Amino acid sequence: MDDYLNISNKNFKSRLIVGTGKYKNFKECSEAIKASGAQIVTVAVRRVNIFDKKKPLLMDYIDPKKITYLPNTAGCFTSSEALRTLRLAREIGGWKLVKLEVLGDKKTLFPDMIETIKSTEVLTKEGFKVMVYCSDDPLMAKRLENAGAVAIMPLAAPIGSGLGILNKVNIKIIRSRTKLPLIIDAGLGQASDASIAMELGCDGVLINTAIAMAKNPIQMAQAMRFAVIAGRKSFLSGRIKKTIYGKASSPKKGLI
Amino acid sequence: MKKINKVKIKINGRKRSINSKISLKSLLSTNKISLKKVAIEVNEKIINKKMINKIKIKNGDKIEIVHFIGGG
């Protein structure tokens, strides 16, 4: 049976979403995306450099007709900044699927959940399909669901920290309480972290720094691709029960 | 010589002085900006790209032209 990541009635074969920031150049970025197998990439909205027209453009390297662009509000600290950014993003190319991120603290980059929920409500009313970066708090996740979010995206650890999943229990609780796509958004550092996220029952992971800042980003992108597939298959297969005693794998019958 | 009226505006945070008769469309085309890849705001109001040839630039306008770049 085919196993797709379904977001807002659209199926994606890959459960790995990758960011397009922090790469050496667009060439490396596009090669990493290819190696990752990702079908969705996050992008930022920024001013055009009208004084240096020779600067290469993201769209010249990553074709939005082939890869789904997920405009993100990274860097926004208020609801009004985030709304302005996503309304502009929609105007660029008619995108409705967006990623909302309203930060509350410059040091930790933790989300401001009050502003995030408020923004989710407004954007949903305006017809956006909002995937939402949030804290790993099951109650906040529920509130976002009620506000109209199409995907819940809790952090595993602070953005760019590479610490891996700090609170597996919370992620499990969120999983058990929402039918929405649950995608780990931030804080993963290596391939095994991605597998763990998938084994906890998450529907996908979003990775930027762990790939872009690895010594070999292309190889890490590939590692993440396989880790997500491995973790998902492991989750679907149903793991064995844990026991503190040994259980022999070979039959006793026929022992010499 | 005919005097050309100039208006002072801000594009992406930078001051510019331009011909007062110019439309938003010609401002973009003289700057070689592809409409397909950008969104435009004038005084914090998003502009419908189909309407840009009807919009005339006024003194004091603040224009923002944005596009997608790499981001997490």
Side-chain angles (χ1 to χ4, degrees):
Chain A
M1 205 180 83
D2 287 328
D3 176 42
Y4 291 110
L5 168 63
N6 186 289
I7 300 171
S8 190
N9 296 322
K10 208 177 163 198
N11 280 337
F12 298 93
K13 212 170 176 188
S14 170
R15 292 177 175 273
L16 173 59
I17 301 171
V18 297
T20 54
K22 294 184 176 172
Y23 286 95
K24 266 198 240 83
N25 48 47
F26 286 140
K27 187 174 172 278
E28 186 186 71
C29 177
S30 89
E31 279 172 19
I33 291 168
K34 215 173 164 191
S36 75
Q39 293 168 297
I40 305 174
V41 298
T42 58
V43 294
V45 176
R46 294 291 184 272
R47 282 171 167 167
V48 170
N49 190 340
I50 49 172
F51 306 98
D52 179 10
K53 285 158 214 131
K54 280 178 189 159
K55 258 197 146 184
L57 298 174
L58 183 71
M59 280 190 187
D60 299 333
Y61 286 82
I62 300 151
D63 186 353
K65 286 187 190 114
K66 289 179 186 159
I67 301 276
T68 300
Y69 271 38
L70 183 64
N72 185 11
T73 61
C76 293
F77 280 83
T78 63
S79 177
S80 61
E81 281 170 19
L83 297 176
R84 185 182 180 194
T85 302
L86 291 179
R87 286 169 185 151
L88 279 165
R90 179 160 64 178
E91 193 58 30
I92 298 175
W95 278 268
K96 279 189 178 170
L97 188 67
V98 293
K99 193 193 133 196
L100 175 68
E101 184 175 310
V102 188
L103 303 175
D105 177 48
K106 283 183 179 157
K107 188 87 179 161
T108 60
L109 301 181
F110 282 150
D112 181 329
M113 289 309 299
I114 312 289
E115 293 282 297
T116 301
I117 292 167
K118 225 163 66 182
S119 312
T120 305
E121 280 169 356
V122 175
L123 289 165
T124 302
K125 275 185 196 146
E126 290 182 17
F128 284 96
K129 307 290 177 200
V130 198
M131 300 171 71
V132 193
Y133 166 65
C134 58
S135 55
D136 58 358
D137 178 338
L139 298 183
M140 287 299 156
K142 202 70 209 168
R143 291 224 171 167
L144 285 176
E145 187 169 347
N146 295 340
V150 302
I152 306 291
M153 305 180 76
L155 50 82
I159 295 173
S161 68
L163 291 171
I165 302 172
L166 297 180
N167 199 336
K168 291 183 198 168
V169 176
N170 276 21
I171 300 298
K172 268 193 169 177
I173 295 172
I174 296 173
R175 172 70 296 166
S176 69
R177 291 185 176 189
T178 183
K179 285 199 169 73
L180 285 180
L182 175 62
I183 297 164
I184 291 291
D185 190 349
L188 302 185
Q190 57 190 352
S192 54
D193 296 335
S195 290
I196 291 168
M198 300 310 292
E199 285 179 328
L200 290 172
C202 294
D203 296 289
V205 295
L206 194 164
I207 301 169
N208 193 160
T209 309
I211 296 174
M213 299 306 284
K215 272 188 190 159
N216 185 337
I218 317 296
Q219 193 164 277
M220 187 58 93
Q222 201 176 34
M224 293 298 185
R225 172 190 203 155
F226 295 138
V228 168
I229 293 168
R232 176 68 180 170
K233 285 192 185 295
S234 171
F235 170 72
L236 292 175
S237 306
R239 60 151 298 143
I240 58 161
K241 280 206 175 84
K242 290 181 184 177
T243 161
I244 57 168
Y245 297 110
K247 279 184 184 171
S249 299
S250 307
K252 279 181 189 158
K253 202 182 165 190
L255 260 177
I256 50 166
Chain B
M1 208 178 98
K2 205 177 159 190
K3 199 188 164 198
I4 300 167
N5 286 329
K6 292 269 183 178
V7 287
K8 282 179 183 170
I9 58 162
K10 258 190 179 182
I11 309 177
N12 286 358
R14 292 225 207 161
K15 283 178 189 166
R16 279 268 187 108
S17 181
I18 60 157
N19 187 338
S20 63
K21 292 278 161 61
I22 203 168
S23 73
L24 186 56
K25 190 180 182 180
S26 47
L27 177 74
L28 291 169
S29 59
T30 45
N31 280 288
K32 291 182 181 130
I33 291 165
S34 160
L35 262 187
K36 279 183 194 164
K37 295 172 182 174
V38 299
I40 309 138
E41 252 186 9
V42 176
N43 303 326
E44 295 201 16
K45 209 176 153 224
I46 294 175
I47 302 299
N48 181 341
K49 286 193 265 187
K50 286 173 196 154
M51 308 293 282
I52 64 159
N53 52 349
K54 287 180 184 161
I55 293 168
K56 295 269 179 271
I57 310 286
K58 300 184 303 298
N59 197 42
D61 275 350
K62 282 180 189 161
I63 300 165
E64 294 285 348
I65 306 159
V66 297
H67 65 160
F68 289 135
I69 65 150

